[in-house]
Amino acid sequence: MRTQPNVIITGTPGVGKTTHCEAVAAATGLRHLAINQIVRDRACHEGWDEEFGCWIVDEDKLLDSIEDEVKQGGYLIDWHACEVFPRSWIDLVVVLRVDSSVLYDRLKARGYAEAKLQENLDSEIMQVLLQEARDSYDEEIVVELTSDTSEEMESNVERVESWVRQWRKDNGAEKS
């Protein structure tokens, strides 16, 4: 049995996943597992997609690569997809959402190609990642949080930190 929870922080690119993970990691001691970095560093891909400017992820290789670590617990999993991770690994799924105009500005500032920018905006508007989370995990562990402003981000970090504290109490990892 794990003594630390695993939390996925997911959402469309540009919603603040990495910023949230770094802040939650600093507040809780959980380790930030940046999946994009893992894909690059451990070659968990089948090459580069020129049109969208991203790696074509080999999900089986990715899961094999992180399984031993994640099964021990104590990770914040930072990625734009969540459905690939087995339910038994995950204790909380945080889906970050932003207003489409805010997202457009963030992605434009990153220099995203028009096709990639439009695909991500469509995904956010259609709530694709939120629906994937709801389809892949039990309803009670999926939380939707808005991340338009720095104040909302701070509130989100406090909520996740509080949840981690409670999980630790409920699972004997922390004294009351």
Side-chain angles (χ1 to χ4, degrees), residues 2 6 8 82-93 132-139 141:
R2 288 185 278 111
N6 286 320
I8 296 175
C82 65
E83 78 282 356
V84 302
F85 304 104
R87 287 180 182 202
S88 63
W89 293 10
I90 306 304
D91 301 294
L92 179 68
V93 180
E132 284 178 0
R134 288 178 173 158
D135 291 346
S136 301
Y137 300 95
D138 295 336
E139 180 182 342
I141 72 163

Side-chain angles (χ1 to χ4, degrees), residues 8-22:
I8 296 175
I9 298 187
T10 191
T12 307
V15 298
K17 295 179 298 294
T18 299
T19 303
H20 277 78
C21 281
E22 289 170 351

Side-chain angles (χ1 to χ4, degrees), residues 1-4 71-73 167-168 170-173:
M1 183 170 148
R2 288 185 278 111
T3 59
Q4 297 294 322
K71 279 187 167 180
Q72 292 175 28
W167 189 98
R168 288 172 172 159
D170 292 347
N171 290 276

Side-chain angles (χ1 to χ4, degrees), residues 32-33 48 51 63 71 97 132 139 141 143 161 166:
H32 179 194
L33 194 64
W48 185 256
E51 181 183 5
L63 293 176
K71 279 187 167 180
R97 304 287 316 283
E132 284 178 0
E139 180 182 342
I141 72 163
V143 178
E161 181 183 2
Q166 188 62 49

Side-chain angles (χ1 to χ4, degrees), residues 16-152:
K17 295 179 298 294
T18 299
T19 303
H20 277 78
C21 281
E22 289 170 351
V24 172
T28 64
L30 296 179
R31 294 172 299 262
H32 179 194
L33 194 64
I35 298 299
N36 285 336
Q37 190 69 42
I38 298 289
V39 167
R40 278 191 300 273
D41 293 351
R42 300 182 190 177
C44 300
H45 58 81
E46 299 169 352
W48 185 256
D49 183 320
E50 291 294 335
E51 181 183 5
F52 290 99
C54 62
W55 295 108
I56 302 166
V57 178
D58 180 331
E59 293 176 356
D60 290 332
K61 191 170 185 182
L62 170 64
L63 293 176
D64 288 345
S65 174
I66 65 172
E67 180 176 13
D68 290 341
E69 294 162 271
V70 176
K71 279 187 167 180
Q72 292 175 28
Y75 284 95
L76 295 164
I77 300 171
D78 170 356
W79 204 31
H80 64 270
C82 65
E83 78 282 356
V84 302
F85 304 104
R87 287 180 182 202
S88 63
W89 293 10
I90 306 304
D91 301 294
L92 179 68
V93 180
V94 176
V95 182
L96 298 175
R97 304 287 316 283
V98 296
D99 180 84
S100 57
S101 62
V102 173
L103 182 61
Y104 178 87
D105 292 343
R106 290 179 185 177
L107 297 180
K108 198 73 170 163
R110 289 183 177 186
Y112 274 34
E114 193 59 37
K116 186 174 182 177
L117 194 149
Q118 195 57 54
E119 179 186 53
N120 285 307
L121 281 172
D122 291 347
S123 177
E124 183 65 14
I125 290 166
M126 301 301 291
Q127 302 182 8
V128 171
L129 297 175
L130 178 60
Q131 193 57 51
E132 284 178 0
R134 288 178 173 158
D135 291 346
S136 301
Y137 300 95
D138 295 336
E139 180 182 342
E140 63 270 10
I141 72 163
V142 177
V143 178
E144 175 185 7
L145 299 176
T146 304
S147 178
D148 291 333
T149 66
S150 57
E151 291 81 14
E152 287 175 335

